[in-house]
Amino acid sequence: MKIKMKKIILVVTIVTTASDLAAQGKVTVTIEDVESDRGYVYFNVFQSDDGFPNEWNKVYKQQKLKAKEGEVSYTFNELPFGTYAISIAHDENGNGEVDTNFVGFPKEPVGASNQTGFGKPSFNRSRFELSPSNASILLKMNFLN
């Protein structure tokens, strides 16, 4: 009797894992026009407006890569389907934050998904939907500075 119970639990675990993987997609973010190899490029995925775009302690997922002049890409795999917004930053001096001037404007290059102009991006304007119909999204972003 105990052997059959263990087999049933194993089957349930496999089915649950397989269905969880089916409800996920991926987002590839490509940053164009990286001006230098100095510092790091940050890719920040937010699930809500809480902290968007620059409170990095509130990101859902983050990736930090060594900056490379030209183009830098990163793919977030296994993201659950849902609504997201992405912010990017080139931390040129490597201090782990975006430096700002006395008014609060970024002194280092920044950007956000769906950002088309200057000004602080909002989660609402920057959001996109990751769903079964678009389980793989490519975002090409330029820095605003």
Side-chain angles (χ1 to χ4, degrees), residues 29-42:
V29 182
T30 299
I31 303 171
E32 299 176 331
D33 302 328
V34 178
E35 293 181 359
S36 76
D37 294 341
R38 292 187 314 263
Y40 297 91
V41 175
Y42 285 83

Side-chain angles (χ1 to χ4, degrees), residues 1-116:
M1 187 72 171
K2 288 184 181 180
I3 293 173
K4 288 182 182 179
M5 188 60 147
K6 285 183 182 180
K7 285 183 182 177
I8 291 172
I9 291 171
L10 180 61
V11 170
V12 169
T13 302
I14 290 171
V15 170
T16 302
T17 302
S19 67
D20 287 347
L21 291 176
Q24 297 176 343
K26 67 180 182 177
V27 175
T28 299
V29 182
T30 299
I31 303 171
E32 299 176 331
D33 302 328
V34 178
E35 293 181 359
S36 76
D37 294 341
R38 292 187 314 263
Y40 297 91
V41 175
Y42 285 83
F43 300 81
N44 306 301
V45 178
F46 288 84
Q47 289 183 303
S48 72
D49 63 347
D50 185 26
F52 184 81
N54 54 1
E55 291 183 47
W56 295 353
N57 60 329
K58 295 182 178 181
V59 298
Y60 172 64
K61 296 219 180 224
Q62 182 182 73
Q63 184 62 44
K64 171 183 164 184
L65 297 177
K66 179 74 179 112
K68 182 180 89 177
E69 187 174 341
E71 187 176 284
V72 179
S73 287
Y74 184 77
T75 299
F76 290 95
N77 291 301
E78 301 177 7
L79 280 178
F81 293 141
T83 302
Y84 299 97
I86 295 178
S87 70
I88 56 173
H90 184 182
D91 176 20
E92 294 176 303
N93 61 9
N95 67 352
E97 60 186 42
V98 174
D99 296 330
T100 58
N101 64 18
F102 68 96
V103 181
F105 292 122
K107 294 183 348 186
E108 296 175 301
V110 295
S113 47
N114 300 324
Q115 185 75 4
T116 58

